[in-house]
Amino acid sequence: MPKVELHLHLDGAFTLDFLFDLIQKYDGDPEIKSIADLRNRFIFTDFPHFVETWFWKNRFFREPIDFEESVYRTLKELSFQNIVYLEAFFSPWDYKESGVVSTNIVQANLNAVKRAEKDFNIRCRLIVDITRDHGHEHAIDRLNEITPFLGEEIIGIGLGGSEQKYQTHMFEDVFDEAKRRGFHCVAHAGEVMGPKSIWSAIKDLKVERIGHGVRAIEDPELVEYLRIEQIPLEICVVSNIKTGIYSGFTDHPFAELFSKGLLLTVNSDDPTMFGTTLADEYSILYHELNLSMLEIRNVQINAVESSFAPQGEKKKIKEMMNRFWIDNAMSITND
Ligand code: HPA
Ligand code: ZN
């Protein structure tokens, strides 16, 4: 099925093989002797443990070419999954320890995106994650650094990281300024923290989409607001379970939010770190959360409609999706 992904962090989507090679390139890690060891390193007790592991693996990205190669290979893998379009986050200020200049990371990722589009026919636009964990005091400096890159590929800013440590409203100034400069604005909210953080993302940051947003379910007034305004939620089911937000599929609110008429998309977040893929996420919607094929098709189209692609591009992607459903109608009705 042709797919669109709106919430994927390139920093969490490296291939295991590539990270393993990087670890060897930079003197190894005594605890990582095999790919299996590496896979086991990405099992998390909770969200803070996930963040700690995130910074551990970042130590092995030390030169711009490490980023360019990693992203190029990631996009190649994603194209094999029939992801035709994505809007991907990256966090260029998360590599202080390895000393790579943030603007060099931006350029390396841009190079990779352009090469991958040519070689694998996958279109990737980029959203720069301002990241809560670096605080809000210098967020405007980070915006200034990336502003010269705003263009065809770099289209927005996001706000990932530790929602529990740095509250959403603290970033109001930088989001206002980013919007004024022409950046699209999105934010993670309502993942670790509850509805208050989502209200703040909407009212203070004036975001166009919410990352996660699942804990909206705890506030009926917010659910109603999201339904009326049709603000897209970028839901990442496996991520929520792997970081302990929900204990399993039966607790996850995707199906309930969907049945209430919210505009939902499904995404893989940090696919390598969470051991998932976008294809897996769709499979979970069908097999575990009991969405019908028609509902799956709606979620698939929601991603196109909620993307920041120009209308012409959206139309082409929807045509591609429609062709898939027409070609496969027979086998699906036989299911
Ligand atoms: N939440 C917050 N920050 C993140 C995430 C996430 O799921 N993934 C990468 N950074
Ligand atoms: Zn995320």
Side-chain angles (χ1 to χ4, degrees):
M1 188 176 91
K3 291 179 284 302
V4 164
E5 165 110 57
L6 301 180
H7 190 123
L8 173 144
H9 299 260
L10 290 170
D11 319 70
F14 48 84
T15 68
L16 280 179
D17 288 353
F18 188 73
L19 178 59
F20 188 75
D21 289 349
L22 276 188
I23 293 173
Q24 309 321 306
K25 177 176 166 187
Y26 296 119
D27 304 330
D29 180 305
E31 284 175 18
I32 308 295
K33 297 191 186 67
S34 65
I35 298 275
D37 289 342
L38 196 50
R39 195 172 285 114
N40 288 334
R41 192 73 167 75
F42 296 123
I43 297 173
F44 312 111
T45 47
D46 54 16
F47 191 81
H49 183 210
F50 161 75
V51 173
E52 187 192 312
T53 312
W54 174 275
F55 285 108
W56 167 78
K57 58 89 189 150
N58 283 3
R59 295 189 350 227
F60 301 105
F61 287 79
R62 299 190 188 171
E63 297 175 21
I65 192 68
D66 300 339
F67 292 85
E68 181 171 335
E69 264 322 290
S70 181
V71 170
Y72 179 77
R73 289 180 196 212
T74 295
L75 293 173
K76 178 179 179 184
E77 289 294 320
L78 297 180
S79 74
F80 292 163
Q81 237 190 92
N82 210 4
I83 294 178
V84 293
Y85 178 90
L86 74 157
E87 288 169 8
F89 297 110
F90 69 103
S91 313
W93 299 280
D94 282 8
Y95 297 85
K96 287 272 180 308
E97 214 181 311
S98 53
V100 194
V101 177
S102 48
T103 47
N104 289 345
I105 299 176
V106 179
Q107 190 56 55
N109 286 359
L110 275 172
N111 295 347
V113 160
K114 287 178 188 158
R115 280 173 56 207
E117 181 169 4
K118 194 152 81 45
D119 295 349
F120 312 119
N121 204 19
I122 179 169
R123 181 94 176 104
C124 178
R125 290 197 164 87
L126 297 167
I127 298 179
V128 189
D129 191 335
I130 294 288
T131 312
R132 293 170 192 261
D133 298 64
H134 304 308
H136 54 98
E137 303 86 346
H138 302 293
I140 196 76
D141 299 336
R142 299 199 287 279
L143 179 67
N144 289 340
E145 265 183 49
I146 57 164
T147 297
F149 293 96
L150 177 64
E152 188 51 39
E153 273 83 24
I154 306 265
I155 57 163
I157 63 161
L159 189 64
S162 305
E163 203 183 345
Q164 70 281 21
K165 284 198 202 155
Y166 297 93
Q167 291 175 30
T168 305
H169 70 86
M170 293 172 164
F171 297 87
E172 182 171 354
D173 292 356
V174 73
F175 271 68
D176 277 349
E177 182 56 22
K179 185 168 281 222
R180 204 188 58 75
R181 292 183 191 181
F183 284 88
H184 286 289
C185 293
V186 298
H188 288 58
E191 177 192 22
V192 176
M193 300 304 284
K196 198 165 151 237
S197 177
I198 304 175
W199 278 120
S200 179
I202 297 167
K203 301 288 185 190
D204 300 329
L205 308 189
K206 300 161 200 84
V207 296
E208 294 159 86
R209 297 194 304 245
I210 307 274
H212 297 286
V214 277
R215 291 191 56 194
I217 196 77
E218 297 164 28
D219 178 349
E221 203 182 313
L222 177 57
V223 169
E224 187 57 6
Y225 185 88
L226 292 168
R227 185 186 68 79
I228 290 169
E229 297 295 327
Q230 290 287 289
I231 299 172
L233 302 189
E234 304 152 5
I235 296 194
C236 311
V237 179
V238 173
S239 162
N240 292 158
I241 293 168
K242 294 280 176 94
T243 59
I245 308 296
Y246 297 105
S247 63
F249 296 130
T250 46
D251 295 347
H252 198 281
F254 189 102
E256 193 180 342
L257 291 169
F258 189 78
S259 70
K260 289 182 189 296
L262 272 63
L263 181 54
L264 303 191
T265 65
V266 76
N267 304 275
S268 67
D269 207 4
D270 300 287
T272 311
M273 295 184 73
F274 295 132
T276 189
T277 64
L278 186 56
D280 290 340
E281 300 283 333
Y282 272 100
S283 172
I284 287 165
L285 293 189
Y286 183 72
H287 291 288
E288 304 288 345
L289 305 182
N290 300 320
L291 267 71
S292 68
M293 279 296 173
L294 190 62
E295 290 169 332
I296 299 264
R297 185 177 178 174
N298 288 342
V299 174
Q300 178 201 29
I301 296 286
N302 284 350
V304 187
E305 298 293 8
S306 308
S307 77
F308 301 130
Q311 285 307 328
E313 266 182 63
K314 285 187 182 178
K315 187 162 173 278
K316 280 198 192 122
I317 298 170
K318 283 189 285 184
E319 280 166 5
M320 201 187 299
M321 289 174 171
N322 282 338
R323 263 198 309 279
F324 166 84
W325 289 99
I326 290 164
D327 292 349
N328 291 282
M330 190 58 97
S331 59
I332 287 162
T333 40
N334 286 345
D335 268 353

